[in-house]
Amino acid sequence: MEKDHMDNHQKEVMHEKKDETLYDSTLLPFMLPVYYKRLFPHKPFYRWLSYSLFEEKIFTNREISFTLHDDIYIRFLCFETQIELEKEICSKNPYKIDIGAVMSTRPKNRITAATMTPVQRELVFDIDMTDYDDVRTCCGGTNVCQKCWKFMVIACRILDVGLRDDFNYEHILWVFSGRRGIHCWVCDYQARHLDTAARSAVAEYFQLVSHIMTDGIMVPRANIGDKMARSVKRAFKIIEPLFEEIILHDQDIFLGRKGITKLCLFISDENARKESEQFLLNNLKEGHHSVDVWDNFKRYAKSMRCNSSSSVWSRRLKNIVEEIQFACLYPRLDINVTKGFNHLLKSPFCIHPSSGRVSIPFNPSAVAKLNPSTVPTITQLLREINVFDEKSKQYDEQDEKDHIKDYKKTGMFKGVLVFEEFLRKLESSLRAKFIEQNERKLEF
């Protein structure tokens, strides 16, 4: 079997680098052809988008878009077969692949068709680290570290259990975006066939945090009401144990005078906000830690609630301590992505052009173990292939039946395994549903 290797010019360019594992975005056009031919999981990718072909035109009418080099954007692509899709990917070598809805007609025929409307699409969620910039101090913008990754850990845990327990969804694919966020694809039949109103309802169900302009600053606020709903209680059990570690220690956001002001901005009542700030400034010494501020604030809030049953602290601010914890740590969704029936979202296994890292699936139960800074780059993946091949001495002499798949030689291995296990369960469910439908038909 022939192997796809970089040509001599590509190898010379790469060897000029002092560190061959260091990603260089200028080399991406040379590396993508090898990645798509040897590492991209074309067959599992097709299995996912075709859903075992149990539904008519589910693959052929799916909209796919490519973003090419120099931001050339090609929409309304569609394909008949896995071979056709794989051939086009390997020919175009897209910088990004986006997946859209299954349409009423083939997207490429949209001009001649009378109408083209979306008929089904996975329920998707997009969570970006930059939406937490007002409560993270360890990094900013596109940078991510293990400390701020904990925001993603909590978001994943809350959403995953909510989707499974409250909506009875089973087939949920979690994917690291490749740089600073996570994507969630809910692939159950019922989820894929939700209309726009239903998608909006699900999105709003998980929308607990809003941003309010306070003293010229956009401040996150969470209103949990007089009594926590069951889903809110469940989320609080995830948030509360990690609040001190993340907000008070890792981020230390209530440090100093500015930190006290930041804390008090979470209080919606203006008079209570000013009184709280003054109390904290009067009772804390210079150089105090966020833990000290938080402990003093909790004691102050409790005393104010106990002093008067008719005060704002006993009514509107009754749950202010819990609401601040929610405002800091509850998932911050790009709600329009979830609401939009025809919104395109980046495919798993794309290479992020800025970071060079692969957009890789992960198991939600192991989200805390995922380190975004060690997710392999395309440079690392290609080097791992070469190192493995050189050590094994297994090239063209090896029989096809004994051939080790290239992704198994690399850091992509676990991500592909997660994807294939997700597909195994999804396809098993689809087969069971198909058999059940046929048995019902026979009964008539």
Side-chain angles (χ1 to χ4, degrees):
M1 176 182 173
E2 284 192 6
K3 292 284 186 177
D4 294 302
H5 293 286
M6 293 184 179
D7 61 29
N8 291 332
H9 171 69
Q10 293 167 359
K11 288 182 178 179
E12 287 172 5
V13 173
M14 289 196 70
H15 282 303
E16 287 177 0
K17 299 291 169 186
K18 292 181 180 180
D19 183 352
E20 291 185 5
T21 63
L22 189 66
Y23 172 68
D24 182 347
S25 61
T26 63
L27 297 179
L28 190 58
F30 303 113
M31 293 187 286
L32 280 174
V34 184
Y35 172 77
Y36 281 126
K37 287 180 181 178
R38 296 191 61 177
L39 286 172
F40 189 87
H42 292 282
K43 186 174 181 179
F45 187 63
Y46 170 78
R47 284 169 55 198
W48 175 38
L49 295 183
S50 65
Y51 289 91
S52 300
L53 299 178
F54 286 137
E55 295 176 64
E56 189 178 3
K57 299 179 181 179
I58 193 170
F59 181 74
T60 57
N61 285 17
R62 168 82 72 167
E63 181 189 356
I64 293 176
S65 75
F66 290 170
T67 302
L68 309 182
H69 187 44
D70 293 331
D71 289 329
I72 298 172
Y73 187 48
I74 307 174
R75 275 198 71 174
F76 305 113
L77 298 172
C78 56
F79 304 93
E80 288 279 357
T81 64
Q82 175 198 328
I83 293 174
E84 185 183 347
L85 172 60
E86 182 175 345
K87 183 178 178 182
E88 189 70 3
I89 289 174
C90 292
S91 170
K92 293 289 194 295
N93 298 305
Y95 272 45
K96 186 172 73 158
I97 301 171
D98 285 305
I99 300 172
V102 177
M103 310 303 283
S104 57
T105 188
R106 300 205 69 192
K108 69 178 183 180
N109 298 334
R110 68 194 183 282
I111 297 175
T112 56
T115 59
M116 186 178 77
T117 57
V119 295
Q120 67 163 288
R121 195 254 192 286
E122 295 78 10
L123 180 66
V124 294
F125 297 86
D126 181 8
I127 308 170
D128 195 297
M129 189 70 75
T130 54
D131 290 328
Y132 293 83
D133 279 353
D134 53 14
V135 290
R136 68 171 180 148
T137 59
C138 57
C139 301
T142 59
N143 296 320
V144 180
C145 70
Q146 276 296 82
K147 287 183 177 180
C148 53
W149 179 252
K150 294 172 186 177
F151 290 109
M152 298 293 105
V153 172
I154 288 178
C156 175
R157 288 174 176 171
I158 289 175
L159 273 177
D160 193 70
V161 71
L163 289 165
R164 295 180 193 279
D165 289 3
D166 300 340
F167 294 92
N168 295 318
Y169 294 140
E170 298 179 62
H171 306 293
I172 304 171
L173 179 66
W174 286 96
V175 184
F176 170 57
S177 70
R179 192 171 195 184
R180 60 176 185 264
I182 54 177
H183 298 156
C184 173
W185 301 75
V186 185
C187 302
D188 296 67
Y189 178 91
Q190 293 83 354
R192 288 185 279 117
H193 288 268
L194 291 175
D195 60 19
T196 301
R199 289 167 192 271
S200 297
V202 175
E204 293 291 349
Y205 181 82
F206 288 106
Q207 188 77 347
L208 194 62
V209 177
S210 59
H211 281 73
I212 308 297
M213 183 66 73
T214 306
D215 295 344
I217 300 171
M218 291 300 290
V219 179
R221 295 267 176 81
N223 184 1
I224 61 177
D226 291 335
K227 187 177 180 181
M228 285 190 193
R230 184 177 66 89
S231 60
V232 177
K233 284 183 181 179
R234 185 183 58 221
F236 189 66
K237 288 180 180 179
I238 296 172
I239 288 171
E240 200 272 337
L242 292 170
F243 180 80
E244 181 173 335
E245 174 188 336
I246 298 172
I247 298 300
L248 306 184
H249 289 287
D250 289 349
Q251 307 303 327
D252 200 9
I253 66 170
F254 304 141
L255 176 67
R257 190 182 186 94
K258 288 184 177 179
I260 289 174
T261 301
K262 189 179 189 73
L263 170 59
C264 294
L265 285 173
F266 287 104
I267 302 171
S268 58
D269 184 84
E270 185 177 358
N271 289 331
R273 181 165 63 247
K274 291 178 179 178
E275 291 169 1
S276 299
E277 184 171 1
Q278 194 59 53
F279 170 84
L280 292 172
L281 289 172
N282 292 339
N283 286 271
L284 287 163
K285 298 177 181 179
E286 287 293 327
H288 61 262
H289 191 272
S290 288
V291 174
D292 303 319
V293 178
W294 182 244
D295 287 344
N296 274 270
F297 174 74
K298 286 194 295 183
R299 283 194 294 269
Y300 176 73
K302 184 178 180 180
S303 68
M304 294 302 290
R305 283 197 302 270
C306 294
N307 287 339
S308 174
S309 60
S310 61
S311 73
V312 68
W313 289 94
S314 300
R315 291 178 282 108
R316 196 162 56 161
L317 302 180
K318 175 183 176 182
N319 297 313
I320 185 61
V321 170
E322 292 81 3
E323 288 178 348
I324 291 173
Q325 291 174 297
F326 274 106
C328 290
L329 292 176
Y330 192 81
R332 300 184 179 187
L333 309 177
D334 185 339
I335 196 168
N336 292 323
V337 172
T338 305
K339 288 182 174 182
F341 203 160
N342 197 24
H343 191 98
L344 281 80
L345 189 64
K346 183 169 70 174
S347 164
F349 300 105
C350 287
I351 301 296
H352 196 291
S354 297
S355 69
R357 301 193 189 280
V358 61
S359 178
I360 200 158
F362 63 86
N363 191 321
S365 64
V367 61
K369 297 179 181 178
L370 194 154
N371 185 342
S373 63
T374 60
V375 171
T377 65
I378 186 171
T379 310
Q380 291 171 303
L381 293 173
L382 300 190
R383 177 166 174 73
E384 285 169 352
I385 291 176
N386 291 334
V387 169
F388 185 96
D389 287 348
E390 287 171 7
K391 286 183 178 179
S392 65
K393 305 296 183 182
Q394 297 172 345
Y395 293 99
D396 298 338
E397 306 89 9
Q398 192 175 20
D399 292 336
E400 178 68 23
K401 63 181 180 181
D402 298 321
H403 174 62
I404 298 174
K405 293 181 179 179
D406 284 323
Y407 72 81
K408 292 184 177 181
K409 307 172 185 176
T410 74
M412 272 181 65
F413 186 29
K414 288 184 179 179
V416 177
L417 285 183
V418 169
F419 190 48
E420 290 186 329
E421 177 62 13
F422 160 79
L423 289 173
R424 185 189 67 77
K425 292 179 180 178
L426 175 64
E427 289 168 345
S428 176
S429 175
L430 290 170
R431 281 193 296 272
K433 185 178 179 64
F434 181 72
I435 292 170
E436 182 184 351
Q437 288 175 341
N438 283 342
E439 288 177 346
R440 286 178 180 175
K441 290 178 181 178
L442 291 173
E443 289 177 0
F444 293 97

